[in-house]
Amino acid sequence: MRTELGAGLPGWVLRAAVGGVAAGVAGVLVANGVEWLAIVLYGVLAAAAVVIPASAAVALIIAYPAVAMVFVDGETSWAGVLALVVLLHLLHVLSAYAAIVPIWSRIHLEALKAPAKRFAAVQLSVLALAAVVILLPGGRTGEVVEVIGLACALGLVVGVVLLMRRKS
């Protein structure tokens, strides 16, 4: 079976998407009370990441918001943190593809379907875990709950090890 791909999108669209998502991250930082000087510095780093997506600037624009949120006066909102989780993951994925796709090439949306599915699966699981964390009561946890949590964590580690084994 043969699929007709059509013209596709220009390669610079990925870099523009990186800039757009970085602007969204800056918006979340502003909404959470991060100071303007820190936002301007983030904008400079984001511009460098758009121009050179295969640089250390990408790592900085992903790590910078977490550090900036720590220094916000007052209490940080869960909505802001969860928005940053989604946006920074999207920034990571888009930057990775922008780094390997030449700027003057063509991108076919069909080629981005598998990465989009992986992105959605990761975000659904992370946000489900975040919902559990938000719903947990504050204060001391009972010993039984701690033992169950430890057993679950151990089960996850064993499951990952078993999945990573080579198929012989």
Side-chain angles (χ1 to χ4, degrees):
M1 183 166 101
R2 194 171 147 185
T3 304
E4 193 65 35
L5 292 176
L9 299 170
W12 58 262
V13 168
L14 284 173
R15 292 174 189 230
V18 169
V21 173
V25 170
V28 171
L29 293 176
V30 168
N32 281 287
V34 174
E35 294 185 19
W36 283 102
L37 183 60
I39 300 297
V40 169
L41 179 58
Y42 185 76
V44 171
L45 291 171
V50 168
V51 173
I52 310 168
S55 68
V58 173
L60 290 172
I61 65 170
I62 292 171
Y64 188 94
V67 174
M69 291 289 277
V70 168
F71 292 106
V72 170
D73 291 335
E75 195 168 318
T76 305
S77 73
W78 275 105
V81 171
L82 294 178
L84 283 179
V85 166
V86 174
L87 289 172
L88 294 176
H89 182 206
L90 183 59
L91 195 59
H92 168 69
V93 171
L94 288 172
S95 297
Y97 282 102
I100 60 173
V101 174
I103 196 166
W104 302 115
S105 65
R106 304 299 285 172
I107 304 163
H108 298 281
L109 294 180
E110 188 70 26
L112 298 177
K113 192 181 284 187
K117 287 180 182 178
R118 278 192 306 272
F119 174 82
V122 167
Q123 285 308 311
L124 285 174
S125 60
V126 166
L127 293 176
L129 181 62
V132 169
V133 169
I134 290 171
L135 294 175
L136 287 175
R140 178 92 172 123
T141 306
E143 292 83 11
V144 174
V145 175
E146 289 180 2
V147 170
I148 291 171
L150 184 59
C152 289
L154 181 62
L156 286 172
V157 169
V158 169
V160 167
V161 168
L162 290 175
L163 287 173
M164 291 178 61
R165 284 190 334 189
R166 287 190 162 193
K167 309 260 188 222
S168 300

